[in-house]
Amino acid sequence: MAEYHGLSHIFTTTETSLYNNLFKSPNPPFHSPTALILEISPNPFPQTNHTTTNFVPIIKNNYNFDNLEILDHELETYRSKFNGHGHDNSNNCNVYVAGLVLVYPSYSSFFEKPGLFLDQMFVRKCYRGMKFGKLLFSAVAMQAQKMGMGMVELFVADWNEETINFYEKMGAHYILEYRLYNLYGDQLQAFGKKSD
């Protein structure tokens, strides 16, 4: 993602930092940073009637992945360590990561309701055009609606016409009057030390 957006020079995320920030939170999913992982398999996923969170996995068994190794040349790199239900997948390894979405809670005083901020949504290139992006975005929107939230907000790079068109097609509104600013790195450290 950092390479795609030309931000590799500020990328500092590690596997450990992701684990500590996403999976060690005492707060339930969608009340703290939450990652939804898009997993695919040539085998049908079993339906589940129970979950330990307030999110019910979306299971679609109508994709044909019989020739997965032809479609995805990096299949082994993206083999999931868990099956679709959080159980160790080391003995039955036909589950692969195709994408993800990362959200966290937000609040808007304009809407007087909490919302979800969609920080990242990514579908691996070989799986684009299969409506997986729509599936991930719909999962986020359905969860926000289910929780009584007022919005899903996100940022899109102004040069990324394909993504802009995608979100507008989904019904998202572009707010022309606002700009995104970030204070990070050395500038954050320097400004944080100023007292005047």
Side-chain angles (χ1 to χ4, degrees), residues 12-25:
T12 59
T13 304
T14 65
E15 186 175 341
T16 301
S17 69
L18 279 175
Y19 176 78
N20 288 336
N21 289 312
L22 294 180
F23 302 109
K24 289 184 100 177
S25 173

Side-chain angles (χ1 to χ4, degrees), residues 49-86:
N49 294 327
H50 65 286
T51 180
T52 57
T53 68
N54 61 356
F55 177 75
V56 177
I58 298 168
I59 297 175
K60 295 196 177 269
N61 286 321
N62 57 342
Y63 291 95
N64 182 357
F65 290 122
D66 289 339
N67 296 318
L68 202 52
E69 62 280 348
I70 295 170
L71 172 69
D72 187 349
H73 299 288
E74 297 181 291
L75 203 57
E76 291 308 312
T77 303
Y78 291 94
R79 185 179 298 275
S80 180
K81 294 179 184 175
F82 301 96
N83 66 18
H85 305 286

Side-chain angles (χ1 to χ4, degrees), residues 58-122:
I58 298 168
I59 297 175
K60 295 196 177 269
N61 286 321
N62 57 342
Y63 291 95
N64 182 357
F65 290 122
D66 289 339
N67 296 318
L68 202 52
E69 62 280 348
I70 295 170
L71 172 69
D72 187 349
H73 299 288
E74 297 181 291
L75 203 57
E76 291 308 312
T77 303
Y78 291 94
R79 185 179 298 275
S80 180
K81 294 179 184 175
F82 301 96
N83 66 18
H85 305 286
H87 300 99
D88 187 357
N89 193 38
S90 52
N91 294 328
N92 184 10
C93 300
N94 288 328
V95 177
Y96 307 93
V97 175
L100 67 92
V101 64
L102 176 63
V103 297
Y104 50 84
S106 66
Y107 183 80
S108 170
S109 58
F110 293 113
F111 291 108
E112 295 184 313
K113 285 186 172 185
L116 289 175
F117 181 79
L118 192 155
D119 183 66
Q120 289 186 28
M121 185 169 77
F122 186 75

Side-chain angles (χ1 to χ4, degrees), residues 28-194:
F30 303 102
H31 295 277
S32 61
T34 303
L36 300 179
I37 308 298
L38 172 64
E39 293 179 320
I40 60 166
S41 176
N43 306 321
F45 285 100
Q47 294 293 331
T48 181
N49 294 327
H50 65 286
T51 180
T52 57
T53 68
N54 61 356
F55 177 75
V56 177
I58 298 168
I59 297 175
K60 295 196 177 269
N61 286 321
N62 57 342
Y63 291 95
N64 182 357
F65 290 122
D66 289 339
N67 296 318
L68 202 52
E69 62 280 348
I70 295 170
L71 172 69
D72 187 349
H73 299 288
E74 297 181 291
L75 203 57
E76 291 308 312
T77 303
Y78 291 94
R79 185 179 298 275
S80 180
K81 294 179 184 175
F82 301 96
N83 66 18
H85 305 286
H87 300 99
D88 187 357
N89 193 38
S90 52
N91 294 328
N92 184 10
C93 300
N94 288 328
V95 177
Y96 307 93
V97 175
L100 67 92
V101 64
L102 176 63
V103 297
Y104 50 84
S106 66
Y107 183 80
S108 170
S109 58
F110 293 113
F111 291 108
E112 295 184 313
K113 285 186 172 185
L116 289 175
F117 181 79
L118 192 155
D119 183 66
Q120 289 186 28
M121 185 169 77
F122 186 75
V123 175
R124 293 182 43 233
K125 191 171 187 174
C126 59
Y127 297 107
R128 293 181 192 158
M130 299 176 138
K131 302 191 180 201
F132 287 144
K134 183 177 181 181
L135 180 72
L136 285 170
F137 189 66
S138 295
V140 171
M142 286 189 299
Q143 188 65 28
Q145 186 273 330
K146 177 182 168 185
M147 294 175 70
M149 294 179 163
M151 70 187 154
V152 173
E153 61 182 329
L154 53 111
F155 295 108
V156 178
D158 63 358
W159 53 263
N160 195 339
E161 289 293 325
E162 185 178 354
T163 301
I164 291 168
N165 292 336
F166 169 82
Y167 286 121
E168 287 180 354
K169 200 167 149 183
M170 298 299 115
H173 301 278
Y174 174 56
I175 303 173
L176 182 64
E177 298 83 14
Y178 291 90
R179 292 184 182 200
L180 169 67
Y181 287 90
N182 284 312
L183 183 63
Y184 60 88
D186 293 341
Q187 291 83 8
L188 174 62
Q189 298 303 318
F191 193 76
K193 293 178 184 174
K194 292 182 180 180

